[in-house]
Each structure stands twice: as C-alpha cells, then as structure tokens.
Amino acid sequence: MKDNATPVLKVKNLVKHYATNAGTVRAVDDVSFVVNEGETLGVVGESGCGKSTMGRTLVRLLEPNSGTISFMGQDITHASRASLREVRRDIQMVFQDPYASLNPRRTVRQILAEPFDVHGIGRRSDRAVQVSELLDRVGLHQEHADRYSHEFSGGQRQRVAIARAIALEPKVVVCDEPVSALDVSIQAQIINLLKRLQAENGLAYVFISHDLSVVGYLADRIAVMYLGEIVEIASKSSMWEKPLHPYTQVLFSAIPVAKPPSVLRRHRQTLIGELPSPINPPQGCRFHTRCPHVMPKCSMQPPKLKAVAGGEARGHQVACHLYE
Ligand code: SF4
C-alpha cells in the first residue's frame, strides 16, 4: 500500500444475507476493506464465495443488512434514492454479461447519452460530442453510435458498457467478472482498455474475478474471499510471493511465479471436498472442513482478520489461527 494513499471507498463489517426457500444465504459476512484512489483491488475466490453479491452491495444495487460503506468520507450505506443518484455518478459498475446489461431496444448513442440526460450534464446539443468522445476513449468507431447492442461482438458490447460506466467520470468502478465471458484474445484487449482508462483518469477499480492471472495483471492489492468472508488481503507482490492462508496457498499454487531468468512453478495443491453451503457455513474457521492444516480449535473459534507484522508483509492481513 502506498504511504500517501487516499481512501475513496471504505467498507466496514459489511453483511449481506438473503432469504431463499432453503434458508438464509450468508453471502457476505462481516467484510471490511479500503480502496484507495487510483488503485485496483482484486477480489478473488471460488464461484459462490459471495464476491459478486459484495460488488452489487457496494454500488447499492443490493441493500446491506448491516455494516457501513463510505465514499470519500460520506456514509452511503443507507443513502436515500435521491442521494444515491449523486453517488452513482462516482461509483459505477461493469457486469460480466454486457448483453444483459445493455438495453437491446436502444442504440449505443441513446445508451451513452442517458447518463448525461439523467444527471443534466451539458445541453442536449452537446450529446453528439459527448457520445463521440466516449466512443473514442473506449476504442469504438463513430459509426457504431447508431447500432444496437445485438449488432456487436461480445468485446465491443463490453466496450459500450465500459463507455457508459465512465461517462460521468466516476472515481470507482466495480467490475464483476468483466472479461470472463470473452475469448482470451478479446479479454486482453478489454483488460488493457481498463488499464489505460485508469492511467488516464485515476480511476479506482474493485475487480472481481475467479481468474487469478487476470487479477494478477491488473490488481495492486488482492482480497481473497471464502464463504462470504475475506480470509486474506495484501499487496499483489506480497500475496504472489508469500500467500499465508491455506486457502490462498491452494488457489495460488497453480500460478507460475516469475523469478527471472526462470519461471518458478509452485508445488500445485488441490482443494479437498466441496465448497460448503453459505446457508449453513461451518462453525469456527469456515475453511476447516477443507484445510490441510486444521487444528482442534479451528472448528470452534473463528479466526479474525489480523495484520501480519513486518517488512514485505506490511499491510498483509490474514484470518488463520496458524499466525496467531
Ligand atoms: Fe486452516 Fe485452522 Fe487456519 Fe482455518 S484457522 S485456515 S482451519 S489452520
């Protein structure tokens, strides 16, 4: 973490549970973290770990049960509909499936003009220029403005979704698996676009993905989620070189580590057992049913996310009894 880092988003003890016929899903349980200006916080974990629910709760598409979300020092946890409209200028979201998130009955011009209309930014006569600039910024051609979303490839649709997200110059964009539905070559183009926009505008990203290589390329810091909780959070270099939590170690064991002049492959580990249900997560440490280092107290006492002291590990936090 940079010494002079300015927090834009602070999340404290966030909880999001929802009711289903089978019981209450504890999707996000007491999650806390900070996102600093201009940085990318990567959020990783298996499907079903709560990372997408957490992303949607951050932008208040879902109502949290408890905890606080602050944007630039302002508590937006229970912001009214009117204040949320203002907040959404600054915190935007890009979804996995741009096809579902773009209105099929509207042209790209209409989709991109909408944020300016809703927030009354500029005059109607400015729209053509505003839309044209956005198309340029995301690498689309001017003739794309009068097409509908079904006329585009997946990568182009995601460019439109990104253009809409950045239209009002937000400070934070929550990206929920934004490239996982795309071909690998297109993924690289979209990731590079996100990187360029960040460099140009000082955007902060919360980048949610199950793909560790993508997160490793983009993120400055990484948070690892397991069954609704953050089990480890650290700078990318610290996490990459020395993952501490047994779950993170398994996740990262499949990723080659660059150690010039060679590439070191870690000892590959596999996860045992299935991800338990978030309706009835294990008592104590939620990972204890799958952990190779489980101890008697792990099934009784939930470990707290705590800072690991010293040197390289500065800013590195882990929730595991092995480090107490
Ligand atoms: Fe494994 Fe225990 Fe650490 Fe949980 S607290 S990760 S079960 S060693």
Side-chain angles (χ1 to χ4, degrees):
M1 209 184 313
K2 293 170 198 160
D3 288 337
N4 56 354
T6 310
V8 279
L9 200 59
K10 276 189 185 172
V11 175
K12 200 149 188 270
N13 308 118
L14 190 69
V15 173
K16 177 62 193 170
H17 294 175
Y18 54 88
T20 65
N21 289 338
T24 301
V25 176
R26 296 166 66 174
V28 179
D29 239 352
D30 200 12
V31 159
S32 300
F33 59 88
V34 167
V35 182
N36 295 309
E37 205 167 41
E39 80 164 354
T40 300
L41 176 71
V43 181
V44 299
E46 287 165 282
S47 151
C49 71
K51 55 192 190 305
S52 289
T53 302
M54 193 265 290
R56 280 160 203 253
T57 310
L58 287 186
V59 297
R60 291 284 320 279
L61 286 175
L62 298 173
E63 219 20 60
N65 294 78
S66 59
T68 54
I69 307 167
S70 311
F71 170 72
M72 308 276 285
Q74 180 199 347
D75 186 344
I76 59 164
T77 324
H78 302 292
S80 64
R81 191 180 274 261
S83 17
L84 259 190
R85 220 172 67 134
E86 284 311 302
V87 168
R88 293 229 165 94
R89 282 180 69 156
D90 291 308
I91 309 178
Q92 281 287 325
M93 184 146 188
V94 173
F95 298 90
Q96 174 177 359
D97 181 2
Y99 199 66
S101 69
L102 299 174
N103 186 335
R105 285 185 291 276
R106 312 200 81 194
T107 63
V108 166
R109 182 183 304 286
Q110 291 168 323
I111 289 169
L112 297 186
E114 191 183 7
F116 299 107
D117 290 338
V118 168
H119 291 273
I121 294 172
R123 290 171 300 213
R124 293 232 163 219
S125 55
D126 299 328
R127 296 293 180 262
V129 175
Q130 289 166 323
V131 169
S132 160
E133 282 175 1
L134 279 173
L135 290 172
D136 268 350
R137 286 173 67 194
V138 299
L140 287 170
H141 299 301
Q142 298 301 319
E143 63 264 28
H144 288 143
D146 295 308
R147 294 189 195 163
Y148 292 87
S149 57
H150 69 267
E151 298 177 79
F152 291 103
S153 66
Q156 286 172 323
R157 275 198 290 271
Q158 200 55 296
R159 285 178 193 267
V160 175
I162 292 169
R164 183 181 56 183
I166 62 164
L168 302 179
E169 310 283 348
K171 296 263 189 311
V172 182
V173 180
V174 177
C175 303
D176 184 11
E177 302 272 8
V179 297
S180 48
L182 305 175
D183 292 344
V184 173
S185 60
I186 308 296
Q187 286 189 4
Q189 293 174 15
I190 298 297
I191 289 163
N192 286 330
L193 170 65
L194 290 170
K195 264 206 161 231
R196 175 167 61 75
L197 292 171
Q198 183 172 49
E200 287 170 2
N201 303 291
L203 280 170
Y205 292 131
V206 177
F207 193 91
I208 297 164
S209 179
H210 68 281
D211 186 334
L212 293 176
S213 312
V214 170
V215 169
Y217 181 67
L218 265 176
D220 299 295
R221 288 185 304 127
I222 298 176
V224 179
M225 281 188 79
Y226 185 80
L227 272 182
E229 298 178 333
I230 290 182
V231 296
E232 187 164 6
I233 187 163
S235 69
K236 176 172 67 181
S237 56
S238 197
M239 189 81 89
W240 224 245
E241 279 167 29
K242 202 168 180 221
L244 298 176
H245 195 281
Y247 176 62
T248 318
Q249 287 171 352
V250 178
L251 280 188
F252 281 59
S253 67
I255 311 269
V257 191
K259 284 266 182 207
S262 63
V263 171
L264 180 78
R265 187 169 280 279
R266 305 172 210 261
H267 169 62
R268 189 168 186 150
Q269 304 172 45
T270 41
L271 271 175
I272 48 168
E274 297 289 311
L275 184 70
S277 165
I279 291 175
N280 193 14
Q283 297 291 307
C285 170
R286 291 186 179 182
F287 189 56
H288 85 260
T289 53
R290 305 168 87 188
C291 180
H293 307 289
V294 61
M295 303 174 280
K297 74 169 171 180
C298 299
S299 58
M300 293 180 284
Q301 206 177 312
K304 288 198 164 56
L305 189 67
K306 283 188 188 156
V308 181
E312 275 291 297
R314 211 164 129 262
H316 198 145
Q317 293 177 283
V318 65
C320 173
H321 292 312
L322 288 173
Y323 303 95
E324 284 167 3

PDB file of all heavy atoms in Angstrom, residues 231 244-247 284-295 297-299 301-303 319-324, ligand 1:
ATOM      1  N   VAL A 231     -10.521 -13.797   3.774  1.00  0.00           N
ATOM      2  CA  VAL A 231      -9.595 -14.588   4.592  1.00  0.00           C
ATOM      3  C   VAL A 231      -8.164 -14.062   4.500  1.00  0.00           C
ATOM      4  O   VAL A 231      -7.328 -14.386   5.340  1.00  0.00           O
ATOM      5  CB  VAL A 231      -9.639 -16.095   4.235  1.00  0.00           C
ATOM      6  CG1 VAL A 231     -10.999 -16.679   4.541  1.00  0.00           C
ATOM      7  CG2 VAL A 231      -9.248 -16.340   2.783  1.00  0.00           C
ATOM      8  N   LEU A 244      -0.370 -16.571   2.651  1.00  0.00           N
ATOM      9  CA  LEU A 244      -0.286 -17.139   4.000  1.00  0.00           C
ATOM     10  C   LEU A 244      -1.444 -18.075   4.336  1.00  0.00           C
ATOM     11  O   LEU A 244      -1.244 -19.105   4.974  1.00  0.00           O
ATOM     12  CB  LEU A 244      -0.232 -16.003   5.033  1.00  0.00           C
ATOM     13  CG  LEU A 244       0.979 -15.081   4.923  1.00  0.00           C
ATOM     14  CD1 LEU A 244       0.861 -13.937   5.926  1.00  0.00           C
ATOM     15  CD2 LEU A 244       2.276 -15.840   5.151  1.00  0.00           C
ATOM     16  N   HIS A 245      -2.640 -17.707   3.954  1.00  0.00           N
ATOM     17  CA  HIS A 245      -3.792 -18.526   4.325  1.00  0.00           C
ATOM     18  C   HIS A 245      -3.770 -19.838   3.537  1.00  0.00           C
ATOM     19  O   HIS A 245      -3.493 -19.835   2.325  1.00  0.00           O
ATOM     20  CB  HIS A 245      -5.082 -17.754   4.010  1.00  0.00           C
ATOM     21  CG  HIS A 245      -6.284 -18.332   4.667  1.00  0.00           C
ATOM     22  ND1 HIS A 245      -6.939 -19.443   4.176  1.00  0.00           N
ATOM     23  CD2 HIS A 245      -6.946 -17.968   5.795  1.00  0.00           C
ATOM     24  CE1 HIS A 245      -7.961 -19.726   4.966  1.00  0.00           C
ATOM     25  NE2 HIS A 245      -7.986 -18.850   5.960  1.00  0.00           N
ATOM     26  N   PRO A 246      -4.043 -20.964   4.202  1.00  0.00           N
ATOM     27  CA  PRO A 246      -4.007 -22.243   3.481  1.00  0.00           C
ATOM     28  C   PRO A 246      -4.910 -22.265   2.236  1.00  0.00           C
ATOM     29  O   PRO A 246      -4.562 -22.879   1.228  1.00  0.00           O
ATOM     30  CB  PRO A 246      -4.497 -23.246   4.531  1.00  0.00           C
ATOM     31  CG  PRO A 246      -4.077 -22.634   5.835  1.00  0.00           C
ATOM     32  CD  PRO A 246      -4.251 -21.154   5.650  1.00  0.00           C
ATOM     33  N   TYR A 247      -6.024 -21.543   2.281  1.00  0.00           N
ATOM     34  CA  TYR A 247      -6.906 -21.497   1.098  1.00  0.00           C
ATOM     35  C   TYR A 247      -6.226 -20.724  -0.034  1.00  0.00           C
ATOM     36  O   TYR A 247      -6.215 -21.161  -1.180  1.00  0.00           O
ATOM     37  CB  TYR A 247      -8.239 -20.842   1.480  1.00  0.00           C
ATOM     38  CG  TYR A 247      -9.168 -20.668   0.302  1.00  0.00           C
ATOM     39  CD1 TYR A 247      -9.636 -21.768  -0.412  1.00  0.00           C
ATOM     40  CD2 TYR A 247      -9.580 -19.392  -0.116  1.00  0.00           C
ATOM     41  CE1 TYR A 247     -10.495 -21.609  -1.502  1.00  0.00           C
ATOM     42  CE2 TYR A 247     -10.432 -19.230  -1.194  1.00  0.00           C
ATOM     43  CZ  TYR A 247     -10.884 -20.344  -1.880  1.00  0.00           C
ATOM     44  OH  TYR A 247     -11.722 -20.182  -2.957  1.00  0.00           O
ATOM     45  N   GLY A 284     -16.682 -22.024  13.539  1.00  0.00           N
ATOM     46  CA  GLY A 284     -15.247 -21.747  13.682  1.00  0.00           C
ATOM     47  C   GLY A 284     -14.704 -21.181  12.387  1.00  0.00           C
ATOM     48  O   GLY A 284     -15.345 -20.351  11.748  1.00  0.00           O
ATOM     49  N   CYS A 285     -13.526 -21.640  11.978  1.00  0.00           N
ATOM     50  CA  CYS A 285     -12.992 -21.222  10.683  1.00  0.00           C
ATOM     51  C   CYS A 285     -13.806 -21.909   9.588  1.00  0.00           C
ATOM     52  O   CYS A 285     -13.923 -23.142   9.581  1.00  0.00           O
ATOM     53  CB  CYS A 285     -11.517 -21.615  10.567  1.00  0.00           C
ATOM     54  SG  CYS A 285     -10.880 -21.387   8.903  1.00  0.00           S
ATOM     55  N   ARG A 286     -14.328 -21.127   8.669  1.00  0.00           N
ATOM     56  CA  ARG A 286     -15.202 -21.704   7.640  1.00  0.00           C
ATOM     57  C   ARG A 286     -14.449 -22.627   6.689  1.00  0.00           C
ATOM     58  O   ARG A 286     -15.056 -23.416   5.974  1.00  0.00           O
ATOM     59  CB  ARG A 286     -15.893 -20.583   6.860  1.00  0.00           C
ATOM     60  CG  ARG A 286     -16.891 -19.858   7.727  1.00  0.00           C
ATOM     61  CD  ARG A 286     -17.713 -18.834   6.995  1.00  0.00           C
ATOM     62  NE  ARG A 286     -18.635 -18.241   7.950  1.00  0.00           N
ATOM     63  CZ  ARG A 286     -19.542 -17.324   7.666  1.00  0.00           C
ATOM     64  NH1 ARG A 286     -19.653 -16.899   6.422  1.00  0.00           N
ATOM     65  NH2 ARG A 286     -20.333 -16.857   8.598  1.00  0.00           N
ATOM     66  N   PHE A 287     -13.132 -22.522   6.688  1.00  0.00           N
ATOM     67  CA  PHE A 287     -12.327 -23.357   5.784  1.00  0.00           C
ATOM     68  C   PHE A 287     -11.910 -24.665   6.450  1.00  0.00           C
ATOM     69  O   PHE A 287     -11.286 -25.509   5.818  1.00  0.00           O
ATOM     70  CB  PHE A 287     -11.091 -22.549   5.345  1.00  0.00           C
ATOM     71  CG  PHE A 287     -10.283 -23.209   4.256  1.00  0.00           C
ATOM     72  CD1 PHE A 287     -10.856 -23.570   3.050  1.00  0.00           C
ATOM     73  CD2 PHE A 287      -8.929 -23.462   4.440  1.00  0.00           C
ATOM     74  CE1 PHE A 287     -10.113 -24.181   2.043  1.00  0.00           C
ATOM     75  CE2 PHE A 287      -8.170 -24.072   3.443  1.00  0.00           C
ATOM     76  CZ  PHE A 287      -8.770 -24.429   2.244  1.00  0.00           C
ATOM     77  N   HIS A 288     -12.316 -24.890   7.719  1.00  0.00           N
ATOM     78  CA  HIS A 288     -11.700 -26.012   8.450  1.00  0.00           C
ATOM     79  C   HIS A 288     -12.063 -27.380   7.870  1.00  0.00           C
ATOM     80  O   HIS A 288     -11.319 -28.338   8.031  1.00  0.00           O
ATOM     81  CB  HIS A 288     -12.007 -25.935   9.959  1.00  0.00           C
ATOM     82  CG  HIS A 288     -13.304 -26.530  10.382  1.00  0.00           C
ATOM     83  ND1 HIS A 288     -14.424 -25.772  10.639  1.00  0.00           N
ATOM     84  CD2 HIS A 288     -13.664 -27.825  10.613  1.00  0.00           C
ATOM     85  CE1 HIS A 288     -15.411 -26.569  11.007  1.00  0.00           C
ATOM     86  NE2 HIS A 288     -14.981 -27.819  10.990  1.00  0.00           N
ATOM     87  N   THR A 289     -13.196 -27.461   7.144  1.00  0.00           N
ATOM     88  CA  THR A 289     -13.577 -28.773   6.574  1.00  0.00           C
ATOM     89  C   THR A 289     -12.696 -29.162   5.387  1.00  0.00           C
ATOM     90  O   THR A 289     -12.728 -30.294   4.937  1.00  0.00           O
ATOM     91  CB  THR A 289     -15.052 -28.749   6.114  1.00  0.00           C
ATOM     92  OG1 THR A 289     -15.228 -27.618   5.231  1.00  0.00           O
ATOM     93  CG2 THR A 289     -15.998 -28.625   7.298  1.00  0.00           C
ATOM     94  N   ARG A 290     -11.897 -28.212   4.888  1.00  0.00           N
ATOM     95  CA  ARG A 290     -11.071 -28.498   3.703  1.00  0.00           C
ATOM     96  C   ARG A 290      -9.599 -28.172   3.937  1.00  0.00           C
ATOM     97  O   ARG A 290      -8.786 -28.287   3.024  1.00  0.00           O
ATOM     98  CB  ARG A 290     -11.568 -27.672   2.512  1.00  0.00           C
ATOM     99  CG  ARG A 290     -13.025 -27.876   2.226  1.00  0.00           C
ATOM    100  CD  ARG A 290     -13.542 -26.832   1.249  1.00  0.00           C
ATOM    101  NE  ARG A 290     -13.353 -27.217  -0.127  1.00  0.00           N
ATOM    102  CZ  ARG A 290     -13.581 -26.413  -1.169  1.00  0.00           C
ATOM    103  NH1 ARG A 290     -13.984 -25.181  -0.974  1.00  0.00           N
ATOM    104  NH2 ARG A 290     -13.394 -26.842  -2.387  1.00  0.00           N
ATOM    105  N   CYS A 291      -9.263 -27.749   5.138  1.00  0.00           N
ATOM    106  CA  CYS A 291      -7.915 -27.225   5.373  1.00  0.00           C
ATOM    107  C   CYS A 291      -6.918 -28.346   5.691  1.00  0.00           C
ATOM    108  O   CYS A 291      -7.154 -29.160   6.588  1.00  0.00           O
ATOM    109  CB  CYS A 291      -7.949 -26.229   6.534  1.00  0.00           C
ATOM    110  SG  CYS A 291      -6.319 -25.541   6.874  1.00  0.00           S
ATOM    111  N   PRO A 292      -5.767 -28.364   5.001  1.00  0.00           N
ATOM    112  CA  PRO A 292      -4.760 -29.393   5.291  1.00  0.00           C
ATOM    113  C   PRO A 292      -4.057 -29.172   6.628  1.00  0.00           C
ATOM    114  O   PRO A 292      -3.381 -30.073   7.117  1.00  0.00           O
ATOM    115  CB  PRO A 292      -3.778 -29.273   4.119  1.00  0.00           C
ATOM    116  CG  PRO A 292      -3.996 -27.914   3.537  1.00  0.00           C
ATOM    117  CD  PRO A 292      -5.403 -27.509   3.865  1.00  0.00           C
ATOM    118  N   HIS A 293      -4.197 -27.991   7.239  1.00  0.00           N
ATOM    119  CA  HIS A 293      -3.502 -27.691   8.497  1.00  0.00           C
ATOM    120  C   HIS A 293      -4.459 -27.571   9.677  1.00  0.00           C
ATOM    121  O   HIS A 293      -4.106 -26.976  10.698  1.00  0.00           O
ATOM    122  CB  HIS A 293      -2.726 -26.375   8.364  1.00  0.00           C
ATOM    123  CG  HIS A 293      -1.812 -26.341   7.184  1.00  0.00           C
ATOM    124  ND1 HIS A 293      -0.662 -27.083   7.106  1.00  0.00           N
ATOM    125  CD2 HIS A 293      -1.913 -25.670   6.003  1.00  0.00           C
ATOM    126  CE1 HIS A 293      -0.080 -26.863   5.941  1.00  0.00           C
ATOM    127  NE2 HIS A 293      -0.825 -26.020   5.256  1.00  0.00           N
ATOM    128  N   VAL A 294      -5.666 -28.109   9.533  1.00  0.00           N
ATOM    129  CA  VAL A 294      -6.697 -27.901  10.556  1.00  0.00           C
ATOM    130  C   VAL A 294      -6.221 -28.364  11.948  1.00  0.00           C
ATOM    131  O   VAL A 294      -5.527 -29.370  12.080  1.00  0.00           O
ATOM    132  CB  VAL A 294      -8.009 -28.614  10.130  1.00  0.00           C
ATOM    133  CG1 VAL A 294      -7.822 -30.105   9.988  1.00  0.00           C
ATOM    134  CG2 VAL A 294      -9.155 -28.270  11.058  1.00  0.00           C
ATOM    135  N   MET A 295      -6.574 -27.553  12.962  1.00  0.00           N
ATOM    136  CA  MET A 295      -6.219 -27.857  14.361  1.00  0.00           C
ATOM    137  C   MET A 295      -7.529 -27.938  15.152  1.00  0.00           C
ATOM    138  O   MET A 295      -8.556 -27.462  14.676  1.00  0.00           O
ATOM    139  CB  MET A 295      -5.347 -26.734  14.939  1.00  0.00           C
ATOM    140  CG  MET A 295      -4.094 -26.476  14.140  1.00  0.00           C
ATOM    141  SD  MET A 295      -3.184 -25.027  14.757  1.00  0.00           S
ATOM    142  CE  MET A 295      -4.074 -23.670  14.046  1.00  0.00           C
ATOM    143  N   LYS A 297      -8.783 -26.241  17.552  1.00  0.00           N
ATOM    144  CA  LYS A 297      -9.537 -25.012  17.824  1.00  0.00           C
ATOM    145  C   LYS A 297     -10.174 -24.412  16.566  1.00  0.00           C
ATOM    146  O   LYS A 297     -11.058 -23.559  16.661  1.00  0.00           O
ATOM    147  CB  LYS A 297      -8.654 -23.981  18.523  1.00  0.00           C
ATOM    148  CG  LYS A 297      -7.630 -23.274  17.703  1.00  0.00           C
ATOM    149  CD  LYS A 297      -7.092 -22.127  18.558  1.00  0.00           C
ATOM    150  CE  LYS A 297      -5.910 -21.445  17.948  1.00  0.00           C
ATOM    151  NZ  LYS A 297      -5.411 -20.358  18.751  1.00  0.00           N
ATOM    152  N   CYS A 298      -9.739 -24.871  15.387  1.00  0.00           N
ATOM    153  CA  CYS A 298     -10.248 -24.289  14.138  1.00  0.00           C
ATOM    154  C   CYS A 298     -11.754 -24.502  13.965  1.00  0.00           C
ATOM    155  O   CYS A 298     -12.426 -23.688  13.347  1.00  0.00           O
ATOM    156  CB  CYS A 298      -9.506 -24.876  12.939  1.00  0.00           C
ATOM    157  SG  CYS A 298      -7.734 -24.550  12.973  1.00  0.00           S
ATOM    158  N   SER A 299     -12.264 -25.619  14.490  1.00  0.00           N
ATOM    159  CA  SER A 299     -13.692 -25.890  14.303  1.00  0.00           C
ATOM    160  C   SER A 299     -14.534 -25.203  15.373  1.00  0.00           C
ATOM    161  O   SER A 299     -15.754 -25.251  15.338  1.00  0.00           O
ATOM    162  CB  SER A 299     -13.946 -27.397  14.326  1.00  0.00           C
ATOM    163  OG  SER A 299     -13.489 -27.913  15.550  1.00  0.00           O
ATOM    164  N   GLN A 301     -13.396 -21.911  17.016  1.00  0.00           N
ATOM    165  CA  GLN A 301     -13.164 -20.473  17.164  1.00  0.00           C
ATOM    166  C   GLN A 301     -12.901 -19.826  15.797  1.00  0.00           C
ATOM    167  O   GLN A 301     -11.932 -20.205  15.125  1.00  0.00           O
ATOM    168  CB  GLN A 301     -11.913 -20.317  18.025  1.00  0.00           C
ATOM    169  CG  GLN A 301     -11.841 -19.036  18.786  1.00  0.00           C
ATOM    170  CD  GLN A 301     -10.580 -19.068  19.646  1.00  0.00           C
ATOM    171  OE1 GLN A 301     -10.290 -20.044  20.350  1.00  0.00           O
ATOM    172  NE2 GLN A 301      -9.811 -18.018  19.544  1.00  0.00           N
ATOM    173  N   PRO A 302     -13.735 -18.877  15.376  1.00  0.00           N
ATOM    174  CA  PRO A 302     -13.458 -18.243  14.077  1.00  0.00           C
ATOM    175  C   PRO A 302     -12.228 -17.333  14.168  1.00  0.00           C
ATOM    176  O   PRO A 302     -12.150 -16.509  15.081  1.00  0.00           O
ATOM    177  CB  PRO A 302     -14.724 -17.427  13.786  1.00  0.00           C
ATOM    178  CG  PRO A 302     -15.494 -17.363  15.050  1.00  0.00           C
ATOM    179  CD  PRO A 302     -14.948 -18.369  16.010  1.00  0.00           C
ATOM    180  N   PRO A 303     -11.252 -17.486  13.286  1.00  0.00           N
ATOM    181  CA  PRO A 303     -10.075 -16.601  13.337  1.00  0.00           C
ATOM    182  C   PRO A 303     -10.445 -15.211  12.827  1.00  0.00           C
ATOM    183  O   PRO A 303     -11.294 -15.074  11.954  1.00  0.00           O
ATOM    184  CB  PRO A 303      -9.084 -17.277  12.384  1.00  0.00           C
ATOM    185  CG  PRO A 303      -9.926 -18.061  11.441  1.00  0.00           C
ATOM    186  CD  PRO A 303     -11.178 -18.440  12.164  1.00  0.00           C
ATOM    187  N   ALA A 319      -6.679 -14.226   8.097  1.00  0.00           N
ATOM    188  CA  ALA A 319      -7.550 -14.770   9.145  1.00  0.00           C
ATOM    189  C   ALA A 319      -7.270 -16.257   9.272  1.00  0.00           C
ATOM    190  O   ALA A 319      -7.820 -17.073   8.521  1.00  0.00           O
ATOM    191  CB  ALA A 319      -9.019 -14.542   8.776  1.00  0.00           C
ATOM    192  N   CYS A 320      -6.349 -16.607  10.165  1.00  0.00           N
ATOM    193  CA  CYS A 320      -5.986 -18.021  10.322  1.00  0.00           C
ATOM    194  C   CYS A 320      -5.270 -18.190  11.656  1.00  0.00           C
ATOM    195  O   CYS A 320      -4.369 -17.410  11.995  1.00  0.00           O
ATOM    196  CB  CYS A 320      -5.058 -18.447   9.172  1.00  0.00           C
ATOM    197  SG  CYS A 320      -4.403 -20.103   9.375  1.00  0.00           S
ATOM    198  N   HIS A 321      -5.647 -19.242  12.424  1.00  0.00           N
ATOM    199  CA  HIS A 321      -5.031 -19.469  13.738  1.00  0.00           C
ATOM    200  C   HIS A 321      -3.552 -19.808  13.639  1.00  0.00           C
ATOM    201  O   HIS A 321      -2.831 -19.707  14.629  1.00  0.00           O
ATOM    202  CB  HIS A 321      -5.772 -20.612  14.462  1.00  0.00           C
ATOM    203  CG  HIS A 321      -7.176 -20.238  14.840  1.00  0.00           C
ATOM    204  ND1 HIS A 321      -7.487 -19.070  15.473  1.00  0.00           N
ATOM    205  CD2 HIS A 321      -8.346 -20.905  14.658  1.00  0.00           C
ATOM    206  CE1 HIS A 321      -8.805 -19.014  15.682  1.00  0.00           C
ATOM    207  NE2 HIS A 321      -9.346 -20.103  15.193  1.00  0.00           N
ATOM    208  N   LEU A 322      -3.082 -20.214  12.459  1.00  0.00           N
ATOM    209  CA  LEU A 322      -1.656 -20.541  12.325  1.00  0.00           C
ATOM    210  C   LEU A 322      -0.769 -19.323  12.575  1.00  0.00           C
ATOM    211  O   LEU A 322       0.401 -19.460  12.890  1.00  0.00           O
ATOM    212  CB  LEU A 322      -1.354 -21.028  10.888  1.00  0.00           C
ATOM    213  CG  LEU A 322      -1.868 -22.404  10.475  1.00  0.00           C
ATOM    214  CD1 LEU A 322      -1.624 -22.622   8.994  1.00  0.00           C
ATOM    215  CD2 LEU A 322      -1.185 -23.498  11.302  1.00  0.00           C
ATOM    216  N   TYR A 323      -1.337 -18.113  12.413  1.00  0.00           N
ATOM    217  CA  TYR A 323      -0.497 -16.907  12.520  1.00  0.00           C
ATOM    218  C   TYR A 323      -0.761 -16.116  13.782  1.00  0.00           C
ATOM    219  O   TYR A 323      -0.381 -14.962  13.889  1.00  0.00           O
ATOM    220  CB  TYR A 323      -0.707 -16.039  11.257  1.00  0.00           C
ATOM    221  CG  TYR A 323      -0.389 -16.827  10.014  1.00  0.00           C
ATOM    222  CD1 TYR A 323      -1.407 -17.462   9.316  1.00  0.00           C
ATOM    223  CD2 TYR A 323       0.924 -16.991   9.594  1.00  0.00           C
ATOM    224  CE1 TYR A 323      -1.117 -18.230   8.195  1.00  0.00           C
ATOM    225  CE2 TYR A 323       1.218 -17.767   8.486  1.00  0.00           C
ATOM    226  CZ  TYR A 323       0.196 -18.388   7.794  1.00  0.00           C
ATOM    227  OH  TYR A 323       0.494 -19.154   6.709  1.00  0.00           O
ATOM    228  N   GLU A 324      -1.419 -16.746  14.753  1.00  0.00           N
ATOM    229  CA  GLU A 324      -1.706 -16.004  15.985  1.00  0.00           C
ATOM    230  C   GLU A 324      -0.618 -16.246  17.005  1.00  0.00           C
ATOM    231  O   GLU A 324       0.030 -17.282  16.989  1.00  0.00           O
ATOM    232  CB  GLU A 324      -3.062 -16.440  16.537  1.00  0.00           C
ATOM    233  CG  GLU A 324      -4.169 -15.825  15.718  1.00  0.00           C
ATOM    234  CD  GLU A 324      -5.523 -16.434  15.992  1.00  0.00           C
ATOM    235  OE1 GLU A 324      -5.630 -17.321  16.873  1.00  0.00           O
ATOM    236  OE2 GLU A 324      -6.480 -16.034  15.316  1.00  0.00           O
TER     237      GLU A 324
HETATM  238 FE1  SF4 B   1      -6.835 -23.953   8.473  1.00  0.00          FE
HETATM  239 FE2  SF4 B   1      -7.297 -23.511  11.035  1.00  0.00          FE
HETATM  240 FE3  SF4 B   1      -6.138 -21.640   9.553  1.00  0.00          FE
HETATM  241 FE4  SF4 B   1      -8.700 -22.223   9.226  1.00  0.00          FE
HETATM  242  S1  SF4 B   1      -7.762 -21.329  11.055  1.00  0.00           S
HETATM  243  S2  SF4 B   1      -7.218 -21.913   7.641  1.00  0.00           S
HETATM  244  S3  SF4 B   1      -8.693 -24.417   9.559  1.00  0.00           S
HETATM  245  S4  SF4 B   1      -5.316 -23.631  10.077  1.00  0.00           S
END
